[in-house]
């Protein structure tokens, strides 16, 4: 995430009207159907609706779609936790555990920072189904990108 980003409101949150622009800096996430619900330094939330074109065998939402949702929502959370002067962030490591298949409905992602430092930001994203059951969990590390001279 290095493109021009929307302004933040007090408390590190992104104004509701700016969420679409913020997600728009990640065209892949937009094309996949990821939507942001709220974004702040403390917690970022988004979702992805089940659709047959996002599935694998047996109508289960593809793991890659779930990981993409977690990566996009986690990247926004990491961006909102960047240190002053940083130019952006990029994923350097990501690990996902899957706990249950999603065969309908909407998967929601809730990302929270675990570590915010000068060089790296680590975010944990919970993926939950419509009944609030944990379907997966992603932990990702984002490198802090500083401006080049």
């Amino acid at each position: 995430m290095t493109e021009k980003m929307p302004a933040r409101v007090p408390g590190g949150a992104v104004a509701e009207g700016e969420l679409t622009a913020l997600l728009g800096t990640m065209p892949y996430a937009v094309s996949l159907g990821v939507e942001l619900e709220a974004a702040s330094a403390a917690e970022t939330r988004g979702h992805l609706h089940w659709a047959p074109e996002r599935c694998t065998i047996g109508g289960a939402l593809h793991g890659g779609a779930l990981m993409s949702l977690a990566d996009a929502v986690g990247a926004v959370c990491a961006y909102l936790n960047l240190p002053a002067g940083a130019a952006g962030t990029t994923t350097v490591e990501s690990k996902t555990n899957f706990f249950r298949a999603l065969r309908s409905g909407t998967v929601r992602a809730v990302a929270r920072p675990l570590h915010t430092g000068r060089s790296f930001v680590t975010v944990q994203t919970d993926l939950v189904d419509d009944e609030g059951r944990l379907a997966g969990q992603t932990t990702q590390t984002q490198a802090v990108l500083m401006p080049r001279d």
Side-chain angles (χ1 to χ4, degrees), residues 49-138:
H49 298 294
W50 181 94
E53 64 273 14
R54 297 183 187 124
C55 291
T56 187
I57 193 164
L61 196 58
H62 193 282
L66 294 168
M67 292 171 73
S68 294
L69 169 63
D71 184 72
V73 173
V76 171
C77 186
Y79 165 76
L80 295 173
N81 282 282
L82 286 174
T89 179
T90 189
T91 305
V92 295
E93 188 272 339
S94 184
K95 181 204 183 301
T96 301
N97 288 320
F98 298 110
F99 305 121
R100 68 180 59 249
L102 290 135
R103 291 190 170 81
S104 64
T106 300
V107 59
R108 299 194 184 291
V110 180
R112 296 179 185 96
L114 296 176
H115 168 78
T116 56
R118 263 184 316 135
S119 301
F120 296 99
V121 176
T122 301
V123 175
Q124 181 174 292
T125 304
D126 291 335
L127 301 169
V128 297
D129 66 13
D130 284 333
E131 296 178 28
R133 298 176 300 185
L134 190 62
Q137 188 173 70
T138 298

Side-chain angles (χ1 to χ4, degrees), residues 6-85:
R8 298 179 221 175
V9 297
V14 174
E16 187 174 335
E18 297 289 331
L19 292 173
T20 301
L22 179 59
L23 190 62
T25 65
M26 296 182 285
Y28 171 71
V30 173
S31 70
L32 187 62
V34 172
E35 297 179 44
L36 285 179
E37 299 168 2
S40 73
E43 182 178 281
T44 299
R45 295 188 318 271
H47 65 268
L48 180 67
H49 298 294
W50 181 94
E53 64 273 14
R54 297 183 187 124
C55 291
T56 187
I57 193 164
L61 196 58
H62 193 282
L66 294 168
M67 292 171 73
S68 294
L69 169 63
D71 184 72
V73 173
V76 171
C77 186
Y79 165 76
L80 295 173
N81 282 282
L82 286 174

